[in-house]
Amino acid sequence: MENVKDLLQTFTSVTIDSTYDTIIQYLYNNEQQHILNDCNLTELPKELEFVVEELTAGRFIQTHKNVLLSSDELNVVTKIKEGDTEVNFGSNTSAESRLDTIVTSWLSNRERDIACYRRLK
């Protein structure tokens, strides 16, 4: 759960306190169960834990966008670089638009990672 909070703070600069622990845990369990069902697994592989964390952060942003947008701390990232890969979220767009872009292009697009673990029933 701390990794999810760290992701949220990285993307938004908003400190997520312990009042959100219950909803983050619920979203995490929901995303984990979705992957287990989708892949026909009984236990989550260690390699997919980061995927569940990213999906949880994305779902939290979607469901709590109004809280994040009203925060004085909000400073949505405009660009993320990992190694030779760079993702630009647009510096001239609104904070709400950048949050939507983060969710759709960075935190929710993990189908390829999940597909590697699918098993037939």
Side-chain angles (χ1 to χ4, degrees):
M1 190 164 27
E2 290 305 313
N3 289 344
V4 174
K5 289 181 179 181
D6 291 342
L7 276 171
L8 291 167
Q9 187 165 357
T10 299
F11 285 114
T12 65
S13 298
V14 175
T15 303
I16 306 298
D17 60 27
S18 61
T19 59
Y20 294 101
D21 285 355
T22 303
I23 189 67
I24 290 173
Q25 188 64 52
Y26 175 81
L27 293 171
Y28 182 90
N29 292 342
N30 184 33
E31 294 298 335
Q32 181 180 22
Q33 190 61 52
H34 174 74
I35 289 174
L36 292 174
N37 293 345
D38 191 38
C39 295
N40 192 30
L41 299 172
T42 56
E43 188 175 316
L44 186 71
K46 183 172 176 47
E47 296 83 2
L48 290 181
E49 288 176 6
F50 75 95
V51 174
V52 174
E53 293 167 351
E54 290 177 359
L55 291 171
T56 302
R59 186 72 64 198
F60 184 88
I61 289 172
Q62 285 176 329
T63 59
H64 289 77
K65 191 185 311 182
N66 59 338
V67 173
L68 295 171
L69 290 172
S70 66
S71 173
D72 293 336
E73 299 176 59
L74 182 66
N75 184 15
V76 183
V77 296
T78 57
K79 180 174 32 172
I80 294 177
K81 184 171 183 175
E82 283 188 17
D84 62 345
T85 303
E86 185 173 313
V87 178
N88 188 343
F89 298 112
S91 58
N92 296 329
T93 59
S94 69
E96 182 176 8
S97 176
R98 289 196 310 271
L99 279 175
D100 290 339
T101 303
I102 287 169
V103 169
T104 57
S105 67
W106 189 260
L107 296 176
S108 297
N109 193 9
R110 294 309 207 178
E111 192 60 34
R112 182 184 291 166
D113 295 321
I114 296 169
C116 295
Y117 291 90
R118 285 200 175 104
R119 296 182 356 196
L120 297 175
K121 286 187 176 185

